[in-house]
Amino acid sequence: HLSGSSTRHLCSLSTDESERLTAAAAFVRLGLERHQKCVCLVPDYSEESTYRALQSGGIDLPAAFSSEALQIITPRQLMLKRDGFNPYRLFTFWKQSREEALRIGFAGIRAVGSLHALMRQQPLDSCWLEYEEKLTDLAEEGESAFLCQFDRGATDTSEVRAAVRAHSAFILGGR
């Protein structure tokens, strides 16, 4: 269940791309129904599969894109790959995206971040935990909901535990 104030900052743990995309599509569909601007940060290699999953999940992509209600971006587009996971740059992007969404008339922002490709470059550390805390604070301010996606196979057990603890709720698999 992906609604309510206690689920504004979620973590999903997937074993494969299909589970990750199923969770993302459900999260985005709910945001579009709530007139939120939906932003998906997806790995460079899965942009096309993300489009297909969203469409299979019942999302009218042409309508969502033409109304600016949906944006799909990659780490390369945010220049996150060059220096790995940059918590300040990413948090600033989410905050500015929320402000822009509100300015143009959306009810808020609903963001999906598939960070597992970036996390392979460096372990989860205090910078990452601080980033997650700031996302929780931003979500609690209102007008924001975040789904941080992790690949259980690419993350060691201690990092999985840390990821779960850093979020208000978690999704196991695609549900």
Side-chain angles (χ1 to χ4, degrees):
H1 188 65
L2 302 176
S3 62
S5 61
S6 66
T7 55
R8 289 193 179 127
H9 187 200
L10 298 154
C11 167
S12 76
L13 302 169
S14 325
T15 57
D16 59 31
E17 186 176 46
S18 175
E19 285 183 353
R20 180 179 60 76
L21 292 171
T22 298
F27 193 75
V28 167
R29 187 177 53 252
L30 183 58
L32 293 172
E33 290 169 3
R34 294 178 175 185
H35 192 63
Q36 295 171 312
K37 169 133 184 156
C38 296
V39 181
C40 301
L41 173 60
V42 301
D44 295 317
Y45 61 83
S46 73
E47 211 170 347
E48 285 302 316
S49 56
T50 300
Y51 291 123
R52 285 191 302 275
L54 293 173
Q55 200 160 28
S56 294
I59 295 168
D60 181 350
L61 291 180
F65 285 125
S66 68
S67 67
E68 298 182 24
L70 179 62
Q71 179 182 8
I72 296 177
I73 56 171
T74 66
R76 184 176 23 89
Q77 291 168 314
L78 288 179
M79 298 183 344
L80 291 174
K81 239 182 186 168
R82 183 180 64 221
D83 54 1
F85 177 65
N86 183 316
Y88 176 77
R89 188 177 300 146
L90 189 53
F91 177 76
T92 300
F93 170 76
W94 294 131
K95 190 170 184 171
Q96 290 172 344
S97 294
R98 180 187 71 169
E99 291 166 3
E100 174 67 9
L102 293 170
R103 188 185 66 71
I104 61 176
F106 287 99
I109 186 174
R110 194 165 192 87
V112 177
S114 297
L115 303 176
H116 56 274
L118 293 173
M119 294 308 200
R120 285 187 192 127
Q121 297 172 15
Q122 63 192 65
L124 303 181
D125 60 10
S126 61
C127 289
W128 172 78
L129 290 173
E130 183 180 335
Y131 163 79
E132 292 292 353
E133 288 171 7
K134 286 183 177 201
L135 266 190
T136 297
D137 293 344
L138 186 61
E140 288 176 358
E141 288 175 14
E143 294 101 19
S144 304
F146 300 98
L147 175 61
C148 301
Q149 297 190 298
F150 296 91
D151 179 352
R152 286 189 300 187
T155 309
D156 74 33
T157 306
S158 64
E159 290 178 338
V160 169
R161 282 194 299 269
V164 169
R165 282 193 303 269
H167 296 82
S168 57
F170 73 96
I171 301 167
L172 191 58
R175 298 182 184 13

